[in-house]
Amino acid sequence: MIKIKTREEIELMRESALIVSKTLGILAKEVKPGVTTLYLDKLAEEFIRDHGAKPGFLGLYDFPNTLCMSPNAQVVHGIPNDKPLEEGDIISIDCGALKNGFYGDHAYTFQVGEVAEDVKQLLQITKESLYVGIREFKVGNRIGDVGFAIQNYCENHGYGVVRELVGHGLGRDMHEDPEMPNYGRRGRGKKFVEGMVVAIEPMVNLGTQHINQLNDGWTILTKDGKPSAHFEHDVAIVNGKPELLSTFKYIYEALGIESNEEDEFRQNF
């Protein structure tokens, strides 16, 4: 069952989402060759707790850490470890926070030093596809409209769109209805209504769409060993249109990037 949020609840969710956004912002300064994902995980847990929230992933379904850290061919759900990052790596950092009874859930794929041009292009197109999908999250549209838009955009660039893993509703539970696939057919699925809140998160591979899972029971990786990218925003429907609750601005401030990509998804209400 889809749980519709009030304006007041959406504002509480924005607080949770922004804690995650700020966490990713402090991590952006630290993602560099020689740094371990366990170190980044510790920084994230301390920051989240210092800001009056709890790590959203730690202990959820028995996950052992604060962050999902997925480098290179790992798609999502990688477990932090003591292996240093290397020049040319990419790494998806997925983070959750629980505050005021509501979750935030937000992800960004970072470059570690200088990466190959084809990998840079994968990251760029995947991030663009996130906003392509968000534009379709509005009153009157359906789940298939978002999935189709993301799938079409990525496949037109020759990339594989993961099928087995999807975005989701968000609220008092980390994973609520509806599921939000990154593929689909226009006009299919449940219709969007005012007050829905979802996490939209394209997971896109440089090669095949197919995936495998490691024996740790968590880590998902591409079947062909090629890199994968993952970007995620929390989005509410407000006044019939998509309203971002999360932001990449703290990441961009840390990295010295100027961007207006989020401007169309901000409203004053």
Side-chain angles (χ1 to χ4, degrees):
M1 183 178 71
I2 296 173
K3 299 174 183 177
I4 302 304
K5 277 70 177 183
T6 65
R7 291 284 181 91
E8 292 75 18
E9 288 174 326
I10 288 172
E11 284 309 300
L12 291 175
M13 292 193 68
R14 191 191 304 275
E15 287 187 41
S16 300
L18 288 179
I19 287 174
V20 178
S21 298
K22 291 174 182 177
T23 303
L24 293 176
I26 64 140
L27 296 177
K29 300 177 182 178
E30 304 293 333
V31 174
K32 61 188 74 172
V35 169
T36 70
T37 51
L38 269 177
Y39 169 75
L40 297 173
D41 188 74
K42 181 181 178 182
L43 285 182
E45 180 175 358
E46 290 175 351
F47 185 88
I48 291 168
R49 294 191 188 280
D50 286 347
H51 286 75
K54 296 179 180 179
F57 296 166
L58 183 61
L60 185 70
Y61 314 125
D62 295 323
F63 188 74
N65 291 88
T66 293
L67 301 174
C68 293
M69 308 281 281
S70 309
N72 301 322
Q74 293 185 17
V75 181
V76 287
H77 302 163
I79 298 173
N81 57 44
D82 58 4
K83 181 183 178 182
L85 296 174
E86 297 181 2
E87 181 81 18
D89 285 345
I90 58 171
I91 183 160
S92 161
I93 302 183
D94 195 353
C95 180
L98 175 64
K99 187 176 182 181
N100 298 320
F102 289 94
Y103 282 94
D105 177 19
H106 188 23
Y108 191 91
T109 301
F110 293 89
Q111 301 178 40
V112 183
E114 192 62 34
V115 306
E117 285 301 321
D118 60 342
V119 178
K120 283 184 183 179
Q121 180 73 358
L122 170 68
L123 300 188
Q124 182 65 30
I125 296 303
T126 303
K127 183 155 65 72
E128 289 174 3
S129 80
L130 171 61
Y131 296 110
V132 167
I134 290 171
R135 287 188 191 103
E136 300 296 323
F137 182 59
K138 56 189 176 184
V139 167
N141 274 10
R142 296 179 181 271
I143 289 173
D145 297 317
V146 173
F148 174 85
I150 292 171
Q151 177 186 5
N152 189 59
Y153 193 79
C154 294
E155 289 184 349
N156 280 345
H157 286 85
Y159 300 135
V161 178
V162 174
R163 302 296 201 273
E164 294 87 346
L165 303 157
V166 298
H168 50 90
L170 189 69
R172 292 189 181 276
D173 295 311
M174 174 65 76
H175 297 107
E176 297 185 355
D177 289 336
E179 290 190 344
M180 295 290 295
N182 297 303
Y183 62 95
R185 297 177 63 183
R186 287 202 176 279
R188 297 295 180 91
K190 293 182 179 179
K191 187 177 287 188
F192 300 134
V193 298
E194 184 79 7
M196 286 181 67
V197 181
V198 300
I200 297 176
E201 50 178 321
M203 290 157 274
V204 181
N205 303 338
L206 186 62
T208 180
Q209 71 187 46
H210 300 295
I211 58 173
N212 289 324
Q213 186 173 42
L214 293 182
N215 291 332
D216 62 17
W218 285 102
T219 307
I220 304 295
L221 68 165
T222 59
K223 193 166 187 177
D224 58 9
K226 292 183 178 180
S228 182
H230 174 217
F231 292 87
E232 179 179 19
H233 268 313
D234 301 338
V235 196
I237 294 183
V238 176
N239 298 323
K241 299 182 292 185
E243 164 79 10
L244 281 183
L245 305 183
S246 53
T247 179
F248 292 148
K249 77 173 185 178
Y250 301 106
I251 295 171
Y252 294 159
E253 287 172 0
L255 299 178
I257 297 171
E258 293 187 8
S259 172
N260 62 0
E261 67 191 14
E262 298 179 2
D263 290 356
E264 66 182 285
F265 308 110
R266 302 287 180 199
Q267 302 178 49
N268 295 315
F269 64 92

